[in-house]
Amino acid sequence: FFPSNAGFGTDTIFYSFTNSRGCSNSDFQLVIIDTVPNVTFASLPTVCANGASFSLTGGFPAGGFYSGSGVTSGIFDPTQSGGAGNKFITYTYTDGNGCSNSVINTLTTLAPPTVTLSAFPAICEDYFPFALSGGKPIGGTYSGNGISNDTIFPRISGAGNIAIQYRFTATNGCSGQSSRNITIDAKPAKPNVFIYGTDSLLADVNAPLYQWYYEGQIYPEISKVIYAQLTGLYQVEAINGTCSSER
């Protein structure tokens, strides 16, 4: 039985049987063929392959369901659709008689740019503001704590590992982003020098490293406490990474 050839409406189906003696009998049933619903599906937007998820719309009559690559419960996720290209989205609707119809539509996802950001060297928190670079393709923008107009202000950013984002938008309207941390070292306070014991000197600031001076010249000691072999003026710098204190 081919419903599509019979057309909609009521049809009579006969069944006849003849036994080995030539005797026959028959019966019939009525079959009602309903029309399939008229289903439409409005055009879909073009989106970036790394864009945000969104609810699919445009299928009529309402109450059907959407299916296809990247589609879950009526939500289209471009990042789960298999990359850039044409995606075939199906809208299926079933009416009260149990008859279904579907329409397929095309949704285009565009390729985002490949964005990279070079590593940043460590800097001291007292560095002057400077323009950021290293993002490719060129022409994007930098953002992060203490960054304004693609310039970083270390004193505003503060000490620590500061995240820097570089974002670039291609001619197709799609954007990509890359991130790097920059280490901003805290500048130690100026140490005071105290006599320690009978023949040693002590710097009163804690730091990873020290540089001592005798009469303005570098003295070959780098620890917090030193043995003072000579009589005269001793000074010390506390050093933390790229930062040196006053002396």
Side-chain angles (χ1 to χ4, degrees):
F1 181 68
F2 298 91
S4 59
N5 293 334
F8 72 92
T10 301
D11 285 285
T12 304
I13 307 297
F14 291 91
Y15 177 72
S16 298
F17 177 77
T18 303
N19 64 17
S20 58
R21 296 180 179 181
C23 298
S24 299
N25 200 358
S26 64
D27 197 5
F28 69 92
Q29 290 284 348
L30 298 179
V31 177
I32 300 175
I33 302 175
D34 295 316
T35 57
V36 296
N38 182 29
V39 178
T40 60
F41 192 3
S43 60
L44 294 167
T46 296
V47 298
C48 297
N50 62 344
S53 301
F54 62 94
S55 296
L56 292 167
T57 59
F60 184 85
F65 68 91
Y66 300 89
S67 60
S69 178
V71 179
T72 303
S73 300
I75 305 295
F76 178 72
D77 185 352
T79 65
Q80 301 298 316
S81 65
N86 291 328
K87 315 300 174 184
F88 298 105
I89 309 298
T90 302
Y91 179 71
T92 303
Y93 174 79
T94 302
D95 64 17
N97 296 320
C99 295
S100 300
N101 200 3
S102 301
V103 178
I104 298 175
N105 218 333
T106 301
L107 190 156
T108 300
T109 56
L110 303 176
T114 299
V115 179
T116 61
L117 181 58
S118 300
F120 295 102
I123 61 173
C124 184
E125 65 179 342
D126 68 349
Y127 275 28
F128 288 108
F130 61 92
L132 293 166
S133 61
K136 293 182 180 180
I138 60 173
T141 57
Y142 298 87
S143 62
N145 185 37
I147 297 173
S148 177
N149 295 324
D150 299 332
T151 298
I152 186 169
F153 295 78
R155 291 185 183 275
I156 297 176
S157 297
N161 288 320
I162 308 302
I164 296 177
Q165 292 83 37
Y166 179 72
R167 188 173 185 83
F168 175 82
T169 301
T171 55
N172 64 3
C174 295
S175 298
Q177 181 172 295
S178 184
S179 298
R180 290 274 190 177
N181 285 345
I182 184 171
T183 299
I184 301 181
D185 296 320
K187 183 176 180 178
K190 179 181 178 180
N192 294 305
V193 178
F194 293 94
I195 296 174
Y196 187 73
T198 59
D199 55 6
S200 298
L201 299 175
L202 166 71
D204 69 343
V205 170
N206 290 321
L209 193 67
Y210 302 85
Q211 178 59 65
W212 288 85
Y213 295 84
Y214 172 74
E215 298 293 348
Q217 302 298 314
I218 292 178
Y219 191 70
E221 293 286 352
I222 58 173
S223 59
K224 184 172 184 171
V225 178
I226 67 166
Y227 171 59
Q229 303 181 55
L230 305 171
T231 300
L233 176 64
Y234 286 85
Q235 296 170 298
V236 63
E237 291 177 351
I239 300 172
N240 177 37
T242 59
C243 294
S244 296
S245 70
E246 297 177 13
R247 54 185 165 105

